[in-house]
Structures are given as structure tokens and as C-alpha cells.
Amino acid sequence: MSAVMRRSAVLLLCVTALTLQSTVKASDGAVVQTKSGSLKGGHLTAQGKETVIYTYLGIPFAKPPLGPLRLAPPQPAETWTGVRDATKQPPMCVQERQVLVDLLSNFSQSMEIPEISEDCLYLNVYTPSKPGDNAKLPVMVWIHGGGLVMGSASMFDGHVLAAYQDVVVVLIQYRLGVLGFFSTGDEHAAGNYGLLDQVAALQWVQENIPSFGGDPGSVTIFGESAGGVSVSLHVLSLLSTNLFHYAIAESGTAAMDAIMNPYPLFTAKAVANASGCDVSSTKEIVDCVRQLSEEDVLKITHDNPIFRFGVTTDGQFLPKSAEELLQSHKFNKVPLMTGVTNDECGYMLPNFMAGPGWKDGMDREQIAQFLPMFNPDLQDPFLAELVLNEYLGTSSDRIKNRDGFREILGDLFFNIPARKTANSHRDSGAPVYMYEFQHPPSLFQKKRPSFVGSDHGDELLFVFGYCFGKGHIKIEEKLTEEEHELCKTVMAYWGNFARTGSPNGPGLTEWPKYGAEAEYLSIGLQQKPAKNPKGKHLTFVTETLQQIIKERKEGAVVQTKSGSLKGGHLTAQGKETVIYTYMGIPFAKPPLGPLRLAPPQPTETWTGVRDATKQPPMCVQERQVLVDLLSNFSLSMEIPEISEDCLYLNVYTPSKPGDNAKLPVMVWIHGGGLVMGSASMFDGHVLAAYQDVVVVLIQYRLGLLGFMSTGDEHAAGNYGLLDQVAALQWVQENIPSFGGDPGSVTIFGESAGGVSVSLHVLSLLSTNLFHYAIAESGTAAMDAIMNPYPLFTAQAVANASGCDVSSTKEIVDCVRQLSEEDILKITHENPMFRFGVTTDGQFLPKSAEELLQSHKFNKVPLMTGVTNDECGFMLPDFMAGPGWKDGMDREQIAQFFPMFNPDLQDPFLAELVLNEYLGTSSDRIKNRDGFREILGDLFFNIPARKTANSHRDSGAPVYMYEFQHPPSILQKKRPSFVGSDHGDELLFVFGYCFGKGHIKLEEKPTEEEHELCKTVMDYWGNFARTGSPNGPGLTEWPKYGAEAEYLSIGLQQKPGKNPKGKHLTFVTDKLQQIIKERKEGPVVHTKLGSLKGSLLTVKGKETIVYSYLGVPFAKPPVGPLRLARTQPADTWEGVRDATRQPPMCVQDREGVLSELEFFSMSLEVPEVSEDCLYVNVYTPSKPGDSTNLPVMVWIHGGGFSFGAASLYDGSVLSAYENVVVVLIQYRLGLLGFFSTGDEHAAGNYGFLDQVAALQWVQENIPSFGGDPGSVTIFGESAGGVSVNLLMLSPLASGLFHRAIAESGTAVWPGLETSNPLISAQNVAKSSNCDGRTSSSIVECIMRWSSEEAEKYSSQYKMLHFRVAVDSYFLPKPIEEIIEKQEFSKVPLITGITDDEFGLLLAAYFEGPGWIDGMTKEQATDALTLGYPDQEDRWIRELVAKEYIGATKDSIQIRDSYREMMGDVFFNIPALKLAKYQRASGAPVYLYEFQDAPSVIKKNKPSFVGVDHADEILFIQGSCFTKAHITITGAFTKEDDELCRTVMAYWGNFAHTGSPNGPGLPAWPEYGAEAEYLGIGVQQKPGKNLKAKHVKFLTETLPELVRLRREKSEHLEL
């Protein structure tokens, strides 16, 4: 809202709304004779009085001001004949009636509000005198308020005052707004028509009041608000001389500038423009306005609330301004009563002006915007601050501010003008009586906040005695007894004054005359005389402030060695100290032309006085970037234009020109990444005021112009830093002129400014130019701001500019010719150009790192520190792009690492950093927060610690801090997760809580933040004075020492130790060591030779896993070793590379690729080779550590035809369960399981490979940190079968100690080959071998080339080659070994999935089309896999009937087939294994896996449950892998949790022989009730798994088979 609008609004509201009364019937009207005609009135009585009051309403006192009388002085009323009805309220003068209706609705009263009319010059008379009586009673003429724009006689009721004081009360109306106060400032419309109407009314009183029993020689005019102003103006006007004899101006006087209009023509033209009138002359304007309809007038008023219709110096009513007339004492020296309420702007006016929310508190800035409406000079923030300090003090308490605001408005609108008017009347010799009304009416208080005192107009209820009213105004609630007494008291004072010119009388507290001591009466439930109301503020407003305004306009001049400067003034909120400001002082020649890309030169002198009141231009930079950046902050400022002529500084000093104060000096170096920033972005006046220091803000060349370098003498670079040196030299020479001590200079800066400060400490050029240093959120150890390869950048600039790059001289000469626009274009189009600090041989003779390590630098006291969330929002928001706030993936974060260290391009090293900061979680929100911490540490925190360490170790005093409080005004524009972001401390360092300069905060900081501003400035100021931040009243700040002591700075200060210590150790020690190891590789020594491995990390664990791939455990089974028992591996010399996956054993590689897609897995699949007997080892144990960890040896599945170690990853299980994981390979298919059933090819070669691998483990696993005495073998499908067979084989006895057989056992139907020779002969036939004897077959196969071996092997499906009873690996049939319990009685986990034949195996064995349904014959034939003999067909049919029944529904048959095949080949065998193993006395744990990984589930039909092998992803922890296997889908949180759970069960089992452990649901041991655990998203113990079919397949069917065979044998006999 503009100042003009506010003034208009205020005047609009200066209306009395306190007119409350009730009516009395009068059977007959009273008729009175006036000079104009007869009037018939009414009767009323007042409560508590028997006196009859005669009322005459709507008496015309002038002609209707219509037509040519619009905008003209009033004319005498015309006479009439007959008796005029005077019993109805007159129409109100033209105004916005609805505004009045709305306003009155807020008060506890009701009345009928008349309509409006331009014909409105009427008055109401209330008299206790009967018609015809010549009573000669005192007359009291009331002039209503309403800001000269609203109000009426009908809003008041004079009958109670008339009755109680025996006086005649006259209520007058006058023209308002446009029609009453429009003026062109000349004879065409002189204005003040409303005041002239009042004069006409007073003239009517003189002529007619005797008819009403009134004495024309005893007239008192009284009014409130604009009515009080009117009364006071009548005292000044010669037109009103002798028309009245006493005057009462309530809450409004002629000294109220707000109601005056010194520029009426401006308003008149605005009205004319709004009306479409000709504005070529004032006559045209007036003629046109006279033609407007009432509706037009109202529309103009409504549409243009800022139009100001006030009192003018018209030459008639007011020959001079009110101020001149008051000062001249040439006015009607009648007795005057004037006064105010004690809370003039308590509620009504501020509630209208200040907008919503003001009642809950206000900021100083909100209040300051209202001050110019009282005095345009108060637009000056400095002067405004003086006023705020006078009323609000130094507190930032918003409630106190609100109350101060109310007091300011009350004083400037009413109280000070009242005092000035009273003083003028007193000094003229006229009697004056002043009051302060102090009682808020009880019925109003219920509708107002409790903090409100006696508000504007509150006295009117008592002046008019509404306690006793019975007229047209109704009060909603009864007043108290005390208020009834107050009504009588106030009416008595006012009545006495109307009778005698003095308010005093019998029974009243003596009211002192206003004299030299400004005596007055406090009026309330008790009356108390007092002196000098508002005296302090009166002196301030009328004397102190006026003097300061005068001084302010004259300016402050200081002499420097270069010339004279004229500056400005500022004050800081909470301090009365005047700060002298000098802006844009040149400290070096403009770096133009030949001085571009050259060291700065001393500035030239000037003559005369240089204007130093405007901000200097900024150095060349992308100004719009700065504009956009600042829009994100809750502050505003004018951003200067840019110029290459920018080497200027700003000085803020509390020292007056000429004083030799020798104050400490603080030189600020701005940040901005060396590419943006300026002195104008900061303001030093608060710091200067609060700390009594001289603050200097410097500028320096930026970007290309400040830091381009060719790395040689043609452009050495660092020009921006040399500019800073020149500024420090200027300080040494000139700062005494500003009251500063050149022997006590502190340099301080933030971000790139902090880096600059730190670099000055290192530079010999800066020696003795400063004495203390403060580096905030930036130090010389920040590699990110350095440019080690400046020539590369210079050549890139030259290429972008079209310059000759044949020599550095050509490049520099060309760049010197570029325009500013060219430079900006290059910068804008090439944001990757890096202009940083170089080792130039002058400013920096060596690299910053070398100088820090050498301790050869300026050993001045240093303060340095960081915020607790350096990259909380601003920097990551710039770097990470859209969406980062909602969460980040680890991969997104890792891509930023190489900018800090190229080695971090290595995914393993990147993963280490991720684990250090993100931990093991894959939570995207936690990742986002870890990303912020990583950036903060690597950019700022770690360099700050390194710099502090170096300074401390050099012997220099160091003080370190961590700033922890995010400014509330910034937090509102940032996400809630942000702590104290980069640069957040600056608001407090510069004390912006108290700023009144060019930088505006959009919102007010909290009270706690005000205290923090003071605290931070104290610390910084103390350091600038003494080299230590400590001082009285502050928390002790420890010196940075051996324990890295520091101070946490926030709303509370807390000393601490070792900030960011864990990450410092990681980044500077551990990570560097790992990078070194990574480059060299971990080397382990085995009995066969040395191996060089790799390092891995996994998601969710910080553990480093050492991997050794392709470790040979046996000789290659080639040549004569094909179809032979496994032989021990040979030793090797040197260090064997163990960083690559080994080749796979011979198999169908294309089939493997298709299976991987099915499992949503992606990896590089190795080639196949007969040379394939290798293991992969994953261990958390460092080489050389003897950790004795449990060992888990994985045997892959694949139907003995497919599979490899490379298809699995042991890193996650190793990391999570702290075990050594060994993945083994073994010969497959024909080469692994071919058998002739005799000595020529005994078979089981793949199993012998497994035994050899276990023997290798026993001999070599200690080298990997594994315990050979704690080996668990585990495998799935054919791997599970292998585990069970190893339990049965005497060859494997003692090579392992626990076993896990997943979805595969040795009791698989048809696992043993009944006649291996037939199978061998079939091989011979298909490969053109001689198949007559076993020896001829084997000899043929041995002759195959490797290509032929691969070709013929690929012809056979899974399980074509089966287990042979070879008398070596398997000395007896499986069933016999089990019956005799001749097996390893080790703890066992075994189990199945809940849909073993759900899809994978069914699709493999049945081919396409089975999903859509199957026949009973297809399902029955599938059992050939377990019952291959043709004679066993009846068995197949029995089993099929059990599961399928009689149904012919193809879908039901398909699903029954899946269940049947799962039971026959996996489920029932697993239960049989569990049963026989338990019977041996070994602990057994059975499971059914019941939830599939979401990444696989989505690839399968909905009818599929947990399919064969689905559990493997959980067992090997694929949710968290970062190794060579990539899962192409995303795991869910439930998947992740199940990964952890399953690995924990398996890991616990490997550690202890029991899967149970802390935090896991108990897994019951398999016992008499066949207990098991259902494993899924939730673990559920159960009993008697597959009970129905168990009985059929283990009891019923075997019995039927036995009986059938017995019968068959009997028939044969």
C-alpha cells in the first residue's frame, strides 16, 4: 500500500463509531420558530433524568449545494412556509455508505443509517428548553469526524449531554470527499467547502439558536478526529471569528499534517483524468466535475482510494498554512480543551493499515514502510531506523514491535500534533486544558484484543453520555456502574467548559491548566493530574529528529591521499552509533587496455570532492546468474551493472571524519568461486556499529580477466589475488583517514574469499599487510579452486575466441583485444573453462600444498571453519540437476567423484567412498543426504581441517568453528532436510539481523537469531581486536590443538573435538592407502604360488572383500587327463593374475546366455574350455591376516551339464556374513560324467573334481583367512545333489563339516545309471566311434579335439549322464549307503521352493506350448526322467493318477504336472534326505522357500510360485552386489530384507551349525513332526510339509512296486 493510500485510509477511518442510544416516544411534536420557518420536532428523555429534551432533526442551514453550487461556498438556506417536519434524520453527505455500514458492524451498537445525498447541509438540535423559552443556555456545536470522507450527524445523539448538562447540543453535517474538499488551488475551485459549510452552520447558530433556548454568545465547538482538526482550524480561521467562544479538539488538531493537502492541483487532475475530463485548464476541470453524477463521484472515490481530499491553504478559510498560523499566534485566542486517548492507534487504525497478522507481531521492516507517510525524509533507512530505535528499542521481539508500531502511529497522527497545538495556544496566551483519556469501554474491549488500551474515539461514548441514552442508537450491552459514573464525570467536565471556559467544577478532580510543565488530566475510572504527556517522544520528533535530518542532508567528507570523498550515514538496528559509509573508492587504476591481464597499478588522484554514496560497478561476470541466485534467498538488493573498471572498495566506519580513532580494521574478500560476487553484495555497517571496527569490502577481477594464465611471463595469472594485495596496500596507506589502525588489520572472507584469505597467509607479497586472518568455508587446501594446467585453459579460450594459439604471447595479445561482450560470451558458452589459482611464481612461488607442508608462511592468528551442511542445498541443487531432492541412486552420486580425485573413476574406490558416507542403505533419501555430506567434506570440511593442522603445526594460533544454525528466513525457501548451508553464517557475521542498509531481508530473524548475530559479531570482533575470539560473556572458544578442538556455533555454543574426524581419517589416510593398494593389487601366497587379486565392496557394507578369480585347484583335465581322475595342480612362479573370471567347463554357452536373461542377470559370460578346473575365492580377510573365518564352498547346479563359478558372486555373502566364499567349477556333461561302467571310464569325474577342490581348500584356505576346520559345502539343484553325494562319499569325508543341499538330493529317482555301457555305446554311435568295446569307445573319445569334445557334448540334455556306482567315489549304491548310515553325519540344511517345477524346468523339458495346457499322456511321459525303464510305465501311470485324477482340463493337468514333478524330483527326496540324516543323529533344518525375487517374478506367468533356483539370488545376496553380475531389474525393500535374512540364516549355519541367531525368527530343528521353516517376506515355522503326497510316494507307491515285483518274480519262477 502506498503512503498516499495509507493516509487516505487513515483519514477514512478517523470516524467515530461510538454513537449509541435508544428512543423515547413523544405523543405530540414540539414546534419552534426559526428565521427560516417553523419546525416540528420530537421529545426524548435520558435515563436517570426527568428533563425532556426537544429534538429537531434535519434542519437546513444552507441551500442544497447542487448544480452551480457544487464546488462553491455554501449559500444561506431558503425560507419555507408551514411547519417543517424535523423528526427524521437527514440524508448523509455523499460518501461510500457501505464502508460505514461495514465499519459500524464491528462495534457493539445498532442504528439505522440514512441514505446519501448531495443535498445534505442539515443539522440536528437537542435542547432542554421548551419552545418559546428564552433560556439562554450554553450551546455545544458538534463537528463529526471521519477523515473528511465519511460521517454524519445521525451517527451521534446529543440528548443525554443536553439533559445532563442543561446545554443545547447541535450536530452539524458538511460536504465530504470530492464534493467537500476538491481543489484546483486557484479561484476556480479554492477548496475547503466542507469547512465553509461548518462556518455556515455556525452562522446559522448565531442567527437561530435563541429559538432553541441557546445563547449565541456562549457557543462551544467540539469535535473528534477530523472533527477535532476542524475545531482547531476554526480557531485559526478569521472566517470563524466570534462564531464560537470555546473550543474542544478531541484526538485531532490543526497540527495534523496527515489531513492536509499541500498539492491539491495534482489530485484535481487525477480526478479529471479518472472522469474523462478535459485537463487543459483548471476551469475546464471544475466545469466538468460539476457535471458528474452522484454515481460518478462515488465511482471515482471507490476506484481511486489513493485520491487525497484534504484541507488546503485556500486564501479564504486558511490564508496561510496551519503550521504558519499556529507559529504566528494570530488566531482566535479562545479557551481550548484538547487531548487524546492513551492508545490512539490501539486497534482500529492499525487493523486497517497493517493488514492480516499484525496482531501476532510485526517486523521492524514492516513498520518502517509506514513512516514516510508522516515525513518523506523517513524514506531514508537511516532516519527510519532512528525512529524505530526511539520507539522499539533494540529488541526484535515482534510483539513489542507491534506495540511500538501502535505507539508510533498514535504519536505521529495525534499525540505530537496535540502537544504542538497546545503549546502554540498556551504560548499565545489562551487558556488550554489537556487530557489523556485512559479507559477503554468494556463493551468494546470484548471485541478487541486484550492489548488494546483506550482506542481512537473511545471517549465519545462518555462525552455523549451513551450510558444513559434512549435515542436512535442502541447499545448491545449494558455498561458497568463505574462507567456510568465516568459518563457523568466526562459530561460534567465538558459541560463546565461550555459554560465557563474551564472544565473544573464542584465534585470533580481539579483539572490543571496546561502551562510551562505541560500539565494535563488523566481521565479514567479515576482522574489524576500529571505533566508532560509524551514528552520524550515530543522532544525526539520535534527536535532531535529534525536536527539529524538536517545533518543527514549535508553529508560527510573525508580526506584520503588520493582525494576527498563525500559519503553517507547509516545506523544499525539496536545501536545509536552513526556509521559513515564511503562507497566505490578506487584503490587501483582501471585494469583496461594494456592493464588487462596485468598486475594492478596504483590509483590516480582526483580534485574536488568525489561522490562516494553509490555502489561501484561489479567486475565482469554473468550478472543474470547472480540475479537468479539471489532470487533464491530471502533478501533483496539492487545489483549494480558490470564493468571492467571495477577495482573499488567500500568503507564503513563509526569514526567521524577527522577523528584519529585507530580502530581495528576488517577487510572482507567476497566469495563466488572466483567468477562472481562484489562488494555491493555485502554490507558492513552493522558489524562496524556493533564491534566498533572499520569494515572494508573489496572487489577484484574475476573469471577470465582475473585468473586466466598461460603459465609463463605473458600471463602469469592470479590477477584477482594481486588486486586484493593492492587493496590491502591501499588500506595501509589510507585507512587512518577513516579512523582505522593500519597496524591492526584482519582479512576475512568466505568460500572463494576464504580461499583468498588462506592464500594471502601463504604469500610473501601480503606479508605485513594484515595481522589476523579469518577463512570461512574455504582454504588454500581446496584443490577444486586450483588450476594446475592453466595453459590448457588458455588455449581453450583462444580457440573459442578464434585467436592464434601458436604462442602464448599471441594468445595473450589476442585476449587483450576482446570486448567485454566477447568475454562474457566465451564464459557463458564454455562453463567448463576453469579459471583458478595458479602457481605463478610471484603471488604463489610454490603450490599451496607445498607451502602448507613447508610451514613457510605468515604465521598470523587464524580463524577458520565450516557450516554443518556445506553442501546442504545450494551447491547440490546447481550440480545434481532436477529431482535430486527426492532421492538419489548410488550410481548418480559416484559420477561426481572424479572431480575431486581421478582415481575415483574406479568403481571399487567409488564404492568405498559411498560406503563411508551412505553406509549400507540403498535408501534414496539417505543417499541424497550422504551425497550432500560427501560434497561438503571434499569441497570444504577436509581442506579446512588440513589447513588448520598445518597452521597449528607451524606454531600459529588457530581457532576452528562449525556453524550449526540455518537462518530461519532461508529455511523457508529450502527443503526441511537442509542444515546450515554454505554461506549461512554470513547473515550473522555481518549482523544482517540489525541491518538497515541497501540489503533488505524479506522476513525478520527470530529473537534467538538476533542473539546469535550479536554473539558471532562479538567473536569476530574480538578476534579482529586481539587475535582471539574470546571475550566477556561468551562461551570459551578453545584453541585448536592436538585434539583438534573447535567451537560449535549455533543458538547455543558448545566446544567440541575432532570435527569430521572419522571422514578426515578415511579421506586423507585410509582412502589414500587403499588407492595405493588398489593400484598394486592385494597379493596372497598359497602353497602353489602367489596370486594378485582385486578389491570389492558391496551395497550396504563397508567391508572390503578381496577376490581371487580363476585359481587352479587341479591340473587341466586335457589330453591324457580327459576322462581321468583329477590330478593336483602344478605350482607356478611369480605372481599369478587372479582378477579375471576363469573359462567355463565345456557346455552349451548359448544356453547359458538365454538362462541368464530368464534370471534378469547380465554379465560377461566366459568362453568354454576343457581347461576349467578353477575356483573363485571371496574373503573379507586381508592378505596375511590369520582370521580363521568359516568357509562356504559353493557347488553350482545345472543338471551336471551347465554352470560355472562366474555365474555366481560370493562377495556379498562374504561381506555380510564374514565368511570366506569359494565357488568351484567341475567337469560337466559327457566329459564330467561319461561312464562305461568299468575301469576304462569309471565316471563321476565331476564329483572327483569337487573332491579335489575341497582338498585344495583344506590345504590353501588359511592363506585367504579361512578355517579349514570349519568348511560348509552348499549347492543348489545338481549342486545340491553334489552336496548330498559328497556326504555319501568316503573320499569327501573330513573335507567339510556342514552341508546345505538346496533343491537337490542324492535320493532323486533315477539318479544312478543302471547300465552306463548302453549310454556309452549311444555316445559312440552318435560320434562315429567304434562302440564294440568300452576300451574302443574311450580311446575314440580321448582322440577328440577340443572342438569335437565341445560339439559332441552339446548334443546331450541335462541329466543325460548320471551318477555311476564306480567303487571309488561311490563304492555302493546310494540306497545301500543310506540304509547302512555310511555317510558324513554333519549338520544339514535342506529344502525346496514351493513351486520347483513352476516354469524353468518345465519349459526346459516340455518345450513350447505347455503353458497353455497339457494332456494326461504328456504329463505321464514326463515321469520318464525318474522312471526311465519301459517296464516302469505302470509306475508312471500310478503316480500320474495320484496327482491328475480323472480330469481332462488341460490347465488343471498342467498345474498338477508341476506339482507332481516338483514332488517326485525335489520335494519328497528332500524330505527323505532330512529324515535319514536326522535318523543318523545329525541336526537337520528343513525349509520351504515361499517368496520369489521381484526382479524374476515379473518375467514369469502369474500362476508360477517360487520356482526352481529362485532362492539363489537371496542366498548370494544379489540385492547388494556390485561385482561383475548386474541384475537388470530393481529389488524391492522387501527383497533387500529377505536377502539379509537368508544370508544371515546361511551364515549362522556356516559359523555354528545352526541357522538361528539374534534378530531372526526361530528355525525349528527337523524332528518327529517334520518341522520346517517357511522362508519368505515373513518366516513361518510349519510341520509335515507335503504330508499328503509324502505318504503316497514314500509308503503306498513303494509297497505297490514291491508287491508287483514279488508277483513278477513268482511268475518267472
Side-chain angles (χ1 to χ4, degrees), residues 91 200 362 433 648 705 738 789 890 1039 1091 1179 1275 1329 1529 1592:
M362 299 181 73
Y433 295 90
Y648 299 95
L705 297 176
F738 301 87
Y789 309 109
R890 294 168 76 93
K1039 192 180 288 188
L1091 297 164
T1179 176
C1329 287
F1592 173 77

Side-chain angles (χ1 to χ4, degrees), residues 166-182:
D166 201 29
V167 294
V168 179
V169 177
V170 182
L171 313 180
I172 70 172
Q173 297 192 153
Y174 54 96
R175 283 172 284 179
L176 302 168
V178 176
L179 301 177
F181 292 90
F182 178 91

Side-chain angles (χ1 to χ4, degrees), residues 1357-1369:
K1357 271 193 168 187
M1358 285 195 300
L1359 300 175
H1360 182 87
F1361 301 100
R1362 306 200 178 193
V1363 177
V1365 181
D1366 62 353
S1367 302
Y1368 183 59
F1369 176 77

Side-chain angles (χ1 to χ4, degrees), residues 99-422:
V99 172
L100 196 59
V101 170
D102 295 342
L103 180 67
L104 292 177
S105 69
N106 294 322
F107 293 89
S108 300
Q109 64 176 41
S110 62
M111 71 180 80
E112 286 190 13
I113 298 174
E115 295 301 316
I116 63 168
S117 172
E118 205 171 345
D119 177 6
C120 66
L121 299 186
Y122 300 96
L123 51 79
N124 295 343
V125 178
Y126 300 82
T127 177
S129 176
K130 290 181 181 178
D133 286 359
N134 186 20
K136 287 199 172 181
L137 300 176
V139 181
M140 298 184 74
V141 180
W142 174 252
I143 306 174
H144 69 76
L148 305 181
V149 293
M150 69 178 181
S152 68
S154 59
M155 288 176 60
F156 301 88
D157 188 335
H159 81 280
V160 181
L161 182 59
Y164 270 76
Q165 291 305 313
D166 201 29
V167 294
V168 179
V169 177
V170 182
L171 313 180
I172 70 172
Q173 297 192 153
Y174 54 96
R175 283 172 284 179
L176 302 168
V178 176
L179 301 177
F181 292 90
F182 178 91
S183 172
T184 56
D186 60 10
E187 73 279 5
H188 297 295
N192 293 345
Y193 303 113
L195 292 169
L196 295 175
D197 293 341
Q198 296 171 16
V199 172
L202 292 174
Q203 290 169 336
W204 181 94
V205 167
Q206 286 297 308
E207 295 174 4
N208 292 281
I209 208 66
S211 301
F212 300 87
D215 181 1
S218 179
V219 175
T220 298
I221 54 174
F222 69 132
E224 187 270 345
S225 195
V229 175
S230 297
V231 165
S232 186
L233 289 170
H234 285 293
V235 173
L236 301 183
S237 177
L238 293 178
L239 289 187
S240 306
T241 303
N242 298 324
L243 296 180
F244 64 96
H245 311 90
Y246 311 115
I248 304 175
E250 305 172 26
S251 298
T253 68
M256 275 182 67
D257 293 333
I259 210 165
M260 305 299 166
N261 186 1
Y263 308 109
L265 182 57
F266 176 84
T267 308
K269 287 181 176 178
V271 169
N273 284 322
S275 311
C277 293
D278 182 352
V279 295
S280 60
S281 71
T282 55
K283 184 179 184 302
E284 291 290 341
I285 293 171
V286 174
D287 289 346
C288 180
V289 171
R290 282 201 175 111
Q291 302 306 313
L292 297 176
S293 67
E294 271 188 21
E295 291 72 20
D296 293 335
V297 172
L298 283 171
K299 187 173 187 301
I300 292 167
T301 303
H302 179 78
D303 292 347
N304 301 277
I306 63 170
F307 285 177
R308 182 182 178 188
F309 303 105
V311 176
T312 62
T313 304
D314 61 351
Q316 183 181 9
F317 182 83
L318 280 184
K320 297 180 180 178
S321 71
E323 184 178 10
E324 290 178 281
L325 293 170
L326 283 168
Q327 289 174 352
S328 72
H329 297 165
K330 294 178 180 178
F331 47 73
N332 300 305
K333 298 180 181 63
V334 298
L336 173 70
M337 183 196 293
T338 190
V340 293
T341 65
N342 72 354
D343 200 1
E344 280 287 0
C345 289
Y347 182 67
M348 182 172 62
L349 290 175
N351 195 47
F352 180 81
M353 295 171 66
W358 75 275
K359 296 188 291 292
D360 300 322
M362 299 181 73
D363 297 324
R364 294 170 75 93
E365 294 73 19
Q366 284 178 274
I367 298 168
Q369 66 182 341
F370 290 96
L371 299 181
M373 68 189 292
F374 300 105
N375 187 332
D377 289 323
L378 297 182
Q379 293 179 82
D380 181 339
F382 168 76
L383 296 171
E385 182 65 13
L386 290 180
V387 176
L388 294 175
N389 285 344
E390 171 71 14
Y391 282 91
L392 313 183
T394 62
S395 170
S396 57
D397 183 301
R398 299 182 80 250
I399 296 300
K400 290 182 180 176
N401 289 352
R402 174 202 69 195
D403 296 339
F405 171 65
R406 294 161 48 228
E407 188 178 14
I408 289 171
L409 292 186
D411 277 4
L412 299 188
F413 269 132
F414 304 106
N415 304 330
I416 303 304
R419 281 294 308 272
K420 290 166 69 175
T421 300

Side-chain angles (χ1 to χ4, degrees), residues 557-559 562-566 605-611:
V557 177
V558 70
Q559 308 296 326
S562 300
S564 299
L565 297 164
K566 177 186 176 182
T605 59
W606 62 85
T607 57
V609 178
R610 183 184 180 103
D611 181 20

Side-chain angles (χ1 to χ4, degrees), residues 359-618:
K359 296 188 291 292
D360 300 322
M362 299 181 73
D363 297 324
R364 294 170 75 93
E365 294 73 19
Q366 284 178 274
I367 298 168
Q369 66 182 341
F370 290 96
L371 299 181
M373 68 189 292
F374 300 105
N375 187 332
D377 289 323
L378 297 182
Q379 293 179 82
D380 181 339
F382 168 76
L383 296 171
E385 182 65 13
L386 290 180
V387 176
L388 294 175
N389 285 344
E390 171 71 14
Y391 282 91
L392 313 183
T394 62
S395 170
S396 57
D397 183 301
R398 299 182 80 250
I399 296 300
K400 290 182 180 176
N401 289 352
R402 174 202 69 195
D403 296 339
F405 171 65
R406 294 161 48 228
E407 188 178 14
I408 289 171
L409 292 186
D411 277 4
L412 299 188
F413 269 132
F414 304 106
N415 304 330
I416 303 304
R419 281 294 308 272
K420 290 166 69 175
T421 300
N423 288 349
S424 180
H425 278 257
R426 174 200 63 197
D427 296 344
S428 77
V432 178
Y433 295 90
M434 193 167 194
Y435 68 86
E436 182 183 74
F437 195 82
Q438 299 183 336
H439 179 70
S442 58
L443 78 167
F444 292 166
Q445 282 301 81
K446 295 176 182 179
K447 290 194 173 184
R448 301 194 294 215
S450 60
F451 60 73
V452 182
S454 181
D455 200 5
H456 187 65
D458 275 4
E459 84 280 8
L460 296 181
L461 186 148
F462 303 96
V463 169
F464 282 97
Y466 289 153
C467 314
F468 310 117
K470 291 188 174 182
H472 67 289
I473 298 174
K474 314 296 182 185
I475 295 178
E476 293 176 3
E477 295 185 34
K478 191 174 181 181
L479 296 172
T480 67
E481 283 302 315
E482 292 86 351
E483 288 175 323
H484 279 72
E485 287 304 312
L486 184 56
C487 271
K488 294 174 184 175
T489 298
V490 171
M491 288 191 290
Y493 278 130
W494 263 241
N496 289 340
F497 186 80
R499 276 184 288 276
T500 67
S502 167
N504 292 303
L508 296 174
T509 300
E510 182 70 16
W511 186 331
K513 191 180 289 186
Y514 186 89
E517 296 185 272
E519 298 88 342
Y520 72 101
L521 185 68
S522 294
I523 300 177
L525 298 183
Q526 290 185 330
Q527 281 56 258
K528 296 177 183 177
K531 297 178 181 178
N532 200 21
K534 300 289 182 179
K536 176 177 178 290
H537 295 324
L538 176 71
T539 301
F540 171 78
V541 171
T542 60
E543 297 176 22
T544 308
L545 182 61
Q546 300 310 312
Q547 181 62 31
I548 292 172
I549 290 172
K550 180 182 177 185
E551 291 177 0
R552 178 74 168 161
K553 291 176 179 177
E554 293 175 356
V557 177
V558 70
Q559 308 296 326
T560 72
K561 292 190 175 181
S562 300
S564 299
L565 297 164
K566 177 186 176 182
H569 305 76
L570 279 175
T571 58
Q573 182 183 329
K575 281 284 178 180
E576 296 181 6
T577 308
V578 174
I579 299 300
Y580 297 85
T581 65
Y582 303 90
M583 313 283 182
I585 306 172
F587 65 83
K589 282 184 180 177
L592 310 174
L595 295 184
R596 179 185 282 181
L597 303 185
Q601 300 299 308
T603 188
E604 294 177 340
T605 59
W606 62 85
T607 57
V609 178
R610 183 184 180 103
D611 181 20
T613 61
K614 296 176 182 176
Q615 294 290 347
M618 304 192 296

Side-chain angles (χ1 to χ4, degrees), residues 1192 1272-1275 1280 1283 1298-1302 1388-1389 1487 1546 1549:
M1192 298 185 74
T1272 299
I1273 56 174
F1274 68 132
V1283 165
R1298 290 172 275 282
I1300 305 175
E1302 307 168 24
L1388 171 71
I1389 287 177
Y1487 70 85
W1546 265 236
F1549 185 78

